[in-house]
Amino acid sequence: MTTKTANFAATRSNTLAFVLALTVGVALLTVSGMAQATVLHDAAHDQRHAMAFPCH
């Protein structure tokens, strides 16, 4: 009986993680798809500078 309960809890946790990852992924695609190109460029540019990555 304990094994079934543990398996059920693990399955539920995996399902929740999958749904959360899917929701975040779809949200990112939607936001990036609707954003203007200059907004995306500026965000990527600022992120590169924040990570000390040369971009020029």
Side-chain angles (χ1 to χ4, degrees), residues 6-42:
N7 286 343
F8 177 72
T11 302
R12 186 172 181 181
S13 177
N14 288 341
T15 302
L16 181 61
F18 174 76
V19 169
L20 180 62
L22 183 66
T23 302
V24 169
V26 168
L28 285 172
L29 286 174
T30 301
V31 169
S32 65
M34 299 292 183
Q36 295 178 356
T38 57
V39 173
L40 293 176
H41 173 78
D42 292 343

Side-chain angles (χ1 to χ4, degrees), residues 45-55:
H45 188 257
D46 293 344
Q47 181 61 29
R48 284 178 165 217
H49 282 290
M51 301 287 291
F53 189 82
C55 61

